Amino acid sequence: MLVLLSYGFWAMPQLKEILAGVAIFLFGMLALEDGFKSFTGGVLERLLKRTTNKLWKSLSFGVLTTTLMQSSSLVTIITISFLSAGLLPLMQGVGIIFGANLGTTTGAWLVAAFGLKVKISAYAMPLLVFGVILVFQKLKTLKGVGYLLAGIGFLFLGIHYMKEGFETFQSSIVLSDYMADGIAGLLIFTLLGMAATVVMQSSHATLVLIITALAAGQITYYNALALAIGANVGTTITAIIGALGANIEGKRLAAAHLVFNLVTGITALVLIVPLANLVDGIAETVGIGEQNYTLKLALFHTLFNALGIALMLPFIKALCRGLEHYLRTDERRESVSLPLSRPDRRREQVKPLYLKKAVLNNPDTALKSMIMETHHLFDNVYGVIARGLMLDRSVVESDKDLNSQLESPVSKDAFCDIDELYQRYIQPVYSELFTFAATAQPEMNSAQSKELFAIKATARDLVNAVKDIKHLQKNLRQYLVSDNVHICQQYGEIRSQIAFLLRRLYFIRHDSLAQEDNDAELVISQLRMTLEKNDVISNDALDELIRHRELTPRMTSSLMNDSHYCRSISKNLIDTVEVLMTAGSGGEGVLSRELALAPEEVEALLASEQSETEAGDNG
C-alpha cells in the first residue's frame, strides 16, 4: 500500500491533498478515542446500567453516543468490550449496535449541511491550539478534554483538506467520465465503498470523502448512494476485528452487526430507486434544493439505516437466539465442578473465562473482567479444598445432611493429589490474572488501581489457602484413620469446621450475587466470631487433652500446626468472599480491611506501586 501510494503521489500530485485530508481526519478520530477513554472510573458502567435496561433505551444510547463520538466503530468496540466483561446482555448490545448505525448518519448531515458551506478550517485552528495545550497538562481530566478538542480540530481540518483537494482534482481529471451505469455501476461502487471503509477503518471518513467528491462533481449522485451503502457494510470489519480478542458474547455481537448491515445494505441496493424517489419527495417537502445532492445523500443514508432498524427490530429476539444456538463455546465447561466423588483423571489445564483482549479497551471493563475471573478462581479453589477434604461438592452446596458424609469412614487412598489439582485448576488462572492486571493497570485511575490491588491480594490469599490445604491433608490422611480416638476426633472437627464454612460461604455468595442480600455482612461477622471460638488453642481444648496425656507430643505439635492451617484457610476464604461482595464499589475500604492497613498506609503502598509501574514503562 505504501508503494502504491508513493507511486500515486508521483503520478498524480493532486492526490496528496485529498489523502492528507483523510489521514488528518483519521488522526482526529484516534485523538477523540483517547479523549473519551480518559473519562472512566465507573462512569460508563453506571451510565450503561441506567440507559440500556430496555431495548428502546439501548437504541437511544447507541444513537446518542455515536453522535457525540462521531464513530460508530468506536461505539461498537466499546460495546463489545462491555459485553465481554459481562456488563451488558446480548440483546442490549445488539440494540446499541442498531442505534449506532443510525447515529453514524449525523456525521453526514453535519458535513453536508455545514462542513462544505463554511470555512471549517477557521474553527479547526483554535480547537487545535487549545487542545494541544490541554494535552500537555498532568491532570488526566484536562488531558482528556485536550484530546477531545484536538480530535474535533483534526476532524475539521481533515474535511477542509479533502474538500480543497477534490476541487483541485477536478481541474485535472474528471472521474465521472469513467463511471459505469446500471446495476454494474451500483455493484462496483458498493464494493469500492466497502474497500475504502476497510482500509480506513472508518465509515465516517468514507462518507466525508464521498460527500466532498460528490460536491466537487467527481462522482454522480447514484454512485455516491452506492458508495454510502458499501461504507455501511464495510464498517462491520472493524467490529469483526474487535471481536477477535473477545469472548463468545463479543463474537455474537459482531455477527449481529454483520447480519444487520448486510440485510440493510442488500435492502438499500434492491430498493435504491424507490428510496431515491422518497428522498426527492422528502427533500421537496422540507425545502432541500433539487440539486443539493450532498444533503440528499445524508437523507438517503439516514433513511436506509432507519429502514434496516425497522426491518430487524421485530426479529431481534430471534436473532439473539439464533446467534446463541449457532455460536457456542466450551469455555464455561472448563470451569465445571471438580470430580469430587470420582477418581481424578488427567485433563487439560483450565483457562481464564473473562480475561479477553477486547476488554482492555476500557479500564472499567478490564477491572470488571478481573473481578469476574477472581470469582472463577474462587470457584476452583473452593473445589480443590473440598476435594482435598474428601467432600462431595454437590452435598456441600445443597441442603443434604453434611454430618452423614463427615461421619462416613475415610480411606487413606481416597485423598487426592493437591499439586496435580493446583497445576490444572489454579495456576493457569492465577498467573493469567496477574499478567492481565499488569497490562490493564497503566490505564487505570487511582480508585481503580486501589480496587485492582485488593483483587490481586485476594487472588494471592486464595492460592495460599490451597497451599494450606495441601499441608493439612498430610496429617488428615494419617489421623482421620488413627486408632487414637482423641486425635481422630480433633481432625474430624477440623474437617467439619471447613466443610460447614464452605457451605455457609456458598449460600452467602449466591444469595448476595442473586439478590444483593444486605444481611451477608452480618453473616460474615458471625463467621469470624465462630472462627475465633473454634480455635483449638484459644478454647483450651488442646490443654485439656495434654493434661490428660491423651495425645503424644508429635500429635500435639501436628494438631497445633494444622489448627493454624485450618484457621488460615477459613480466614482467607471469608476475606475473599467479603472482598468479592464489595468489588466494583470503590475498593478503598476493602483494601484497608484486606491488608489490615491504615488508610494512609494504603495510599503510600499504592503510590509506591504506581511509581514502580511508571518507572518500568519509562525504562
Side-chain angles (χ1 to χ4, degrees):
M1 184 181 294
L2 292 175
V3 171
L4 287 173
L5 283 173
S6 300
Y7 175 77
F9 291 151
W10 175 78
M12 203 175 298
Q14 297 86 350
L15 274 176
K16 292 179 182 177
E17 198 164 5
I18 298 172
L19 295 181
V22 174
I24 293 170
F25 187 91
L26 291 174
F27 189 79
M29 293 193 67
L30 291 176
L32 271 181
E33 288 185 22
D34 288 337
F36 280 110
K37 285 178 182 178
S38 300
F39 298 97
T40 57
V43 176
L44 283 176
E45 182 178 348
R46 291 192 294 272
L47 187 65
L48 278 174
K49 287 180 179 179
R50 294 175 184 174
T51 57
T52 61
N53 55 349
K54 294 183 180 178
L55 186 56
W56 69 268
K57 288 185 178 181
S58 298
L59 283 167
S60 304
F61 182 85
V63 173
L64 181 62
T65 52
T66 307
T67 300
L68 291 173
M69 298 183 187
Q70 284 299 294
S71 173
S72 60
S73 298
L74 176 59
V75 172
T76 300
I77 294 300
I78 290 175
T79 305
I80 286 174
S81 67
F82 273 80
L83 200 69
S84 297
L87 296 175
L88 281 176
L90 179 61
M91 189 175 296
Q92 270 66 43
V94 173
I96 291 174
I97 295 302
F98 285 9
N101 276 271
L102 188 59
T104 197
T105 65
T106 59
W109 281 102
L110 290 171
V111 175
F114 304 107
L116 302 179
K117 298 178 181 179
V118 180
K119 190 173 176 58
I120 201 166
S121 59
Y123 297 97
M125 301 305 177
L127 286 171
L128 287 172
V129 172
F130 293 137
V132 171
I133 290 173
L134 291 176
V135 163
F136 282 99
Q137 304 307 306
K138 292 184 178 180
L139 190 63
K140 191 173 183 180
T141 305
L142 289 178
K143 190 185 290 285
V145 173
Y147 276 116
L148 290 177
L149 293 177
I152 296 171
F154 281 122
L155 291 182
F156 286 178
L157 198 61
I159 292 169
H160 167 75
Y161 279 116
M162 280 188 267
K163 175 188 172 185
E164 295 292 320
F166 272 113
E167 289 176 356
T168 306
F169 201 58
Q170 190 175 18
S171 62
S172 58
I173 186 169
V174 181
L175 292 176
S176 56
D177 294 342
Y178 304 93
M179 303 306 167
D181 296 322
I183 295 176
L186 286 177
L187 293 177
I188 289 170
F189 277 90
T190 300
L191 291 174
L192 283 174
M194 290 174 60
T197 306
V198 169
V199 170
M200 292 188 284
Q201 289 290 293
S202 169
S203 60
H204 268 69
T206 307
L207 281 169
V208 171
L209 200 60
I210 294 167
I211 290 170
T212 51
L214 179 61
Q218 291 294 320
I219 54 176
T220 66
Y221 175 53
Y222 274 90
N223 295 151
L225 299 185
L227 284 167
I229 294 170
N232 221 55
V233 177
T235 195
T236 59
I237 300 300
T238 304
I240 292 170
I241 293 172
L244 293 178
N247 65 3
I248 191 63
E249 291 296 329
K251 291 178 173 64
R252 287 169 180 160
L253 185 66
H257 193 194
L258 179 62
V259 170
F260 173 80
N261 284 44
L262 282 176
V263 169
T264 303
I266 292 170
T267 303
L269 278 175
V270 171
L271 301 177
I272 191 168
V273 175
L275 281 172
N277 292 333
L278 180 60
V279 167
D280 290 338
I282 295 174
E284 185 178 352
T285 303
V286 299
I288 297 175
E290 185 178 349
Q291 301 299 317
N292 194 342
Y293 291 120
T294 54
L295 278 179
K296 283 186 175 182
L297 174 62
L299 180 58
F300 174 83
H301 192 221
T302 301
L303 279 178
F304 85 75
N305 273 288
L307 177 62
I309 292 174
L311 288 174
M312 294 295 296
L313 209 54
F315 304 101
I316 190 169
K317 290 184 179 179
L319 174 64
C320 292
R321 285 197 297 268
L323 292 171
E324 289 168 352
H325 177 73
Y326 289 107
L327 293 178
R328 297 181 180 180
T329 180
D330 292 328
E331 285 181 331
R332 295 274 174 187
R333 297 174 187 173
E334 295 172 350
S335 66
V336 295
S337 301
L338 302 177
L340 303 178
S341 57
R342 300 191 298 273
D344 285 334
R345 303 175 193 171
R346 286 283 171 182
R347 295 183 180 184
E348 294 182 1
Q349 291 183 330
V350 301
K351 299 176 183 177
L353 298 181
Y354 307 100
L355 305 182
K356 304 297 180 180
K357 184 179 178 182
V359 303
L360 288 169
N361 289 309
N362 185 282
D364 289 320
T365 58
L367 184 60
K368 180 68 174 178
S369 295
M370 283 182 279
I371 292 170
M372 294 171 68
E373 196 61 54
T374 309
H375 278 284
H376 176 213
L377 179 63
F378 180 89
D379 287 334
N380 287 351
V381 168
Y382 185 102
V384 169
I385 291 174
R387 186 74 177 89
L389 297 174
M390 267 315 295
L391 298 170
D392 189 329
R393 183 169 182 170
S394 63
V395 175
V396 175
E397 297 177 347
S398 69
D399 294 325
K400 296 178 182 178
D401 184 11
L402 190 54
N403 284 314
S404 60
Q405 185 184 35
L406 291 168
E407 292 168 0
S408 300
V410 177
S411 168
K412 284 186 178 181
D413 298 329
F415 288 90
C416 62
D417 183 352
I418 298 292
D419 282 330
E420 191 268 330
L421 293 179
Y422 174 83
Q423 293 297 328
R424 188 196 308 168
Y425 291 99
I426 310 302
Q427 191 273 336
V429 178
Y430 180 63
S431 59
E432 284 296 322
L433 186 65
F434 270 74
T435 302
F436 191 89
T439 306
Q441 187 169 0
E443 299 298 323
M444 292 184 175
N445 60 30
S446 177
Q448 291 167 333
S449 294
K450 290 176 184 179
E451 192 156 5
L452 175 63
F453 198 91
I455 292 299
K456 287 160 65 177
T458 297
R460 177 204 61 201
D461 289 345
L462 285 172
V463 170
N464 287 336
V466 175
K467 293 178 180 178
D468 289 339
I469 199 68
K470 174 188 173 182
H471 295 305
L472 176 60
Q473 189 197 54
K474 294 176 183 177
N475 287 328
L476 278 175
R477 298 179 68 171
Q478 177 180 352
Y479 291 126
L480 277 180
V481 294
S482 173
D483 294 333
N484 185 317
V485 65
H486 300 287
I487 194 68
C488 184
Q489 181 182 355
Q490 289 299 319
Y491 274 90
E493 183 63 28
I494 288 175
R495 183 169 174 247
S496 175
Q497 287 176 26
I498 300 176
F500 278 99
L501 176 66
L502 290 176
R503 170 171 284 186
R504 294 293 298 277
L505 292 179
Y506 173 80
F507 287 114
I508 289 172
R509 284 185 71 226
H510 287 269
D511 287 347
S512 176
L513 290 174
Q515 305 169 10
E516 297 184 0
D517 188 358
N518 293 326
D519 293 333
E521 288 189 16
L522 177 60
V523 177
I524 285 179
S525 297
Q526 293 172 344
L527 289 177
R528 293 188 188 280
M529 293 174 62
T530 304
L531 179 62
E532 297 293 334
K533 180 180 176 181
N534 289 335
D535 189 356
V536 70
I537 297 176
S538 61
N539 64 14
D540 297 330
L542 183 59
D543 292 340
E544 190 71 19
L545 292 171
I546 294 173
R547 274 196 299 269
H548 291 85
R549 301 184 182 280
E550 304 289 359
L551 304 178
T552 65
R554 181 180 178 184
M555 290 179 180
T556 301
S557 62
S558 296
L559 184 57
M560 290 176 63
N561 289 333
D562 292 333
S563 176
H564 168 75
Y565 289 134
C566 173
R567 179 186 175 86
S568 177
I569 292 167
S570 302
K571 182 181 182 302
N572 284 333
L573 292 178
I574 293 171
D575 288 346
T576 297
V577 170
E578 188 172 20
V579 170
L580 292 178
M581 281 169 51
T582 54
S585 59
E588 183 174 359
V590 173
L591 179 60
S592 302
R593 182 168 57 250
E594 169 68 17
L595 301 179
L597 299 176
E600 58 273 13
E601 294 175 305
V602 172
E603 292 286 352
L605 190 58
L606 287 167
S608 173
E609 186 182 74
Q610 183 66 32
S611 63
E612 289 175 7
T613 302
E614 292 173 356
D617 292 341
N618 293 333

